[in-house]
């Protein structure tokens, strides 16, 4: 596992440096400052790690993969900024810091999120003659943009958010709960794996297996989140604990009980391992370790 | 001019039908409804018309151009939804109808805008095996995504909004005002022209001339907007008139006076014509007529 930790630490440092380069401080009228506050120096960077691990597992282009990793994290970070706003979850604490709208005001928070979504696609499509020109071949740029856009929109994250909003305080069956999470958090986690895979060569079988791996860990992530929301204190999580239960939001724990939710997480963990085996990758170690960490995490 | 009107009416019908196809009503939990309310059945569709006119002027692929036209309008429509929200301009009337957040609530309005930005990039990158597969060659998809993303982010629309926000009630010189508008509205209008041009073949000289044309009409559009804001009634505009002056926002009229602003609009109009002539296009008629209409419009 030491090799994995070394790899992970190196990735985290690289991602941080790259994000710092893309999210420029000189963006006008404080916008850059709000964006940097929202995305730098915080978060587990699970999505970038998935992109980079998947790219490594298929011998993908590491420069393209790093751009893909940053683009996914920008989408994730923008979604957190918007979700925290008063008209959505009205959260004041995120990653142990005041949320972006608390720090910079609502208008700037909304704009910072909007600009970060655009930036995700800018990062994937370096301008001709720019520094990054040549980092990603144009057909790969197009493929990455398509995967990211579909994971972010009505079929993905935004659609899942809308379902979530519509169900606060209302009962929700397991099928609906799963559909909501598959879109809300699952789609972007799965896209992270597939964007990494797109940076290299895969057979259709490998692509499908990696897609299944992504779906399994995407759902496992949410089940573990729901478990941690009731078992951990706010200090450990870096955000307000127990908030979903307080708001009477449907969760895996409310639906299956704590033991049932834990069993579900183990089951999905097994599915992820099975899919990886089926993919027959040259080097699946990092993806396997990430699945393990994701299920065993305590925050 | 009759030919131009016929062309324009046909384009408007096609754009409406295409947008209706892309913004699906079945998106979950009312999200599709809010998105359709925000983008269908309203607006001058200036940006799509610029895309389609520019594409025609260079013999561009009309199917790709139609997707580009829809993507630009989706970005424009999302920006209006977010701008109208209480934390920004707090407008209740847009295109003669209640604004999206008034109709659907703030959370749904924010999500609808977010999902529409993602959808703009989905439309540009049709999935393999989907209906639109083959509409746009992958390198063109990448180029269109890059142009659109840069026009939408910190170097474009979102950056201009941030400058705008930061200057309410504060004095602003002409250089700053121009920089703000070049980003806030100019970048997307210019990108519309260039995205249309990218759908065909251009020489570097033509590309530059079309870029200059786009910059000139982008600025002219804002100058005319500022003039109309003080000379027209709300009913004609379909939105609240006089709001910028009321809010003590810097405008071309407050800076140059009404006559000065009119002279500036004429000057930019002349620059747009000059750039078109320089481009030496086979058929610049539609772009020339659009520049004329834009300056002569009364709403």
């Amino acid at each position: 596992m030491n090799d994995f930790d070394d790899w992970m630490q190196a990735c985290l440092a690289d991602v941080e440096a790259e994000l710092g380069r893309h999210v420029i401080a000189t963006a006008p009228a404080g916008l850059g400052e709000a964006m940097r506050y929202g995305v730098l120096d915080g978060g587990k960077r699970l999505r970038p790690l998935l992109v980079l691990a998947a790219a490594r597992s298929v011998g993908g282009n590491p420069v393209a993969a790093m751009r893909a990793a940053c683009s996914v994290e920008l989408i994730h970070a923008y979604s957190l900024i918007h979700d925290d706003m008063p008209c959505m979850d009205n959260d004041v604490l995120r990653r142990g810091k005041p949320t972006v709208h608390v720090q910079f005001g609502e208008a700037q928070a909304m704009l910072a999120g909007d600009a970060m979504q655009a930036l995700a696609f800018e990062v994937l499509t370096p301008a001709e003659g720019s520094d990054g020109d040549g980092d990603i071949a144009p057909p790969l740029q197009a493929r990455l943009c398509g995967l990211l856009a579909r994971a972010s929109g009505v079929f993905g994250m935004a659609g899942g958010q809308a379902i979530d909003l519509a169900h606060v305080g209302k009962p929700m069956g397991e099928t609906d709960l799963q559909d909501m999470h598959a879109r809300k958090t699952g789609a972007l986690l799965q896209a992270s794996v597939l964007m990494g895979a797109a940076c290299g060569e895969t057979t259709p079988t490998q692509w499908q297996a990696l897609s299944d791996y992504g779906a399994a860990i995407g759902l496992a992530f949410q089940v573990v989140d729901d478990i941690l929301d009731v078992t951990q204190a706010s200090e450990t999580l870096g955000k307000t604990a127990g908030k979903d239960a307080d708001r009477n939001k449907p969760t895996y724990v409310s639906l299956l009980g704590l033991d049932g939710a834990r069993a579900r997480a183990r089951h999905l963990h097994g599915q992820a391992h099975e899919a990886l085996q089926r993919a027959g990758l040259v080097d699946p170690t990092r993806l396997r370790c990430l699945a393990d960490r994701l299920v065993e995490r305590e925050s």
Side-chain angles (χ1 to χ4, degrees), chain A:
Chain A
M1 284 298 217
N2 260 352
D3 280 0
F4 175 74
D5 279 319
D6 289 349
W7 171 81
M8 196 169 77
Q9 291 310 320
C11 285
L12 292 176
D14 288 351
V15 166
E16 191 70 20
E18 275 290 290
L19 282 171
R21 204 167 64 79
H22 291 304
V23 189
I24 56 169
T26 53
L31 187 59
E33 208 191 327
M35 291 166 76
R36 289 172 72 89
Y37 182 91
V39 70
L40 297 183
D41 190 27
K44 291 179 283 287
R45 308 295 191 212
L46 174 59
R47 291 155 194 82
L49 290 171
L50 284 169
V51 175
L52 298 173
R56 274 291 285 268
S57 79
V58 298
N61 169 354
V63 182
M66 180 53 78
R67 283 187 174 263
C70 290
S71 73
V72 177
E73 189 67 7
L74 284 164
I75 293 287
H76 174 58
Y78 114 68
S79 80
L80 298 182
I81 295 175
H82 280 190
D83 289 0
D84 286 339
M85 283 180 64
C87 68
M88 300 281 288
D89 284 353
N90 197 19
D91 264 314
V92 297
L93 188 65
R94 164 78 63 186
R95 294 172 180 168
K97 300 188 297 184
T99 47
V100 175
H101 70 273
V102 169
Q103 193 76 6
F104 297 93
E106 284 183 50
Q108 193 75 297
M110 189 159 73
L111 275 181
D114 289 346
M116 278 158 75
Q117 179 164 198
L119 182 57
F121 294 97
E122 292 178 61
V123 167
L124 290 178
T125 56
E128 253 177 86
S130 74
D131 258 6
D133 192 9
D135 281 3
I136 319 185
L140 178 54
Q141 293 178 24
R143 197 161 180 212
L144 294 173
C145 284
L147 287 166
L148 188 64
R150 270 177 283 283
S152 307
V154 294
F155 297 110
M157 201 175 68
Q161 284 282 6
I163 298 175
D164 194 6
L165 258 182
H167 282 85
V168 174
K170 288 185 196 164
M172 198 182 214
E174 193 183 337
T175 312
D176 287 341
L177 186 70
Q178 181 156 330
D179 177 47
M180 176 183 87
H181 287 309
R183 296 179 190 242
K184 191 180 156 191
T185 49
L188 198 58
L189 289 164
Q190 189 180 31
S192 302
V193 176
L194 293 178
M195 288 171 74
C199 293
E201 298 288 332
T202 52
T203 65
T205 309
Q206 287 179 319
W207 183 265
Q208 185 57 52
L210 284 167
S211 175
D212 294 345
Y213 164 85
I217 59 155
L219 210 48
F221 180 83
Q222 189 56 51
V223 176
V224 172
D225 236 33
D226 286 353
I227 294 169
L228 293 174
D229 190 60
V230 297
T231 59
Q232 296 284 21
S234 301
E235 302 85 73
T236 315
L237 291 179
K239 61 183 178 184
T240 316
K243 65 177 186 179
D244 290 341
D246 287 353
R247 286 180 186 141
N248 201 16
K249 278 194 179 185
T251 73
Y252 280 97
V253 176
S254 68
L255 205 71
L256 308 175
L258 197 51
D259 286 346
R262 282 178 174 142
R264 178 60 50 92
R266 277 193 302 276
H267 178 71
L268 290 164
H269 187 197
Q271 284 189 325
H273 275 254
E274 179 278 321
L276 273 188
Q277 200 144 17
R278 184 155 36 91
L281 302 163
V282 180
D283 185 4
T285 327
R286 294 172 194 81
L287 287 173
R288 193 162 49 226
C289 288
L290 279 171
D292 298 344
R293 294 289 170 95
L294 189 148
V295 174
E296 292 153 11
R297 73 198 161 100
E298 296 187 338
S299 69

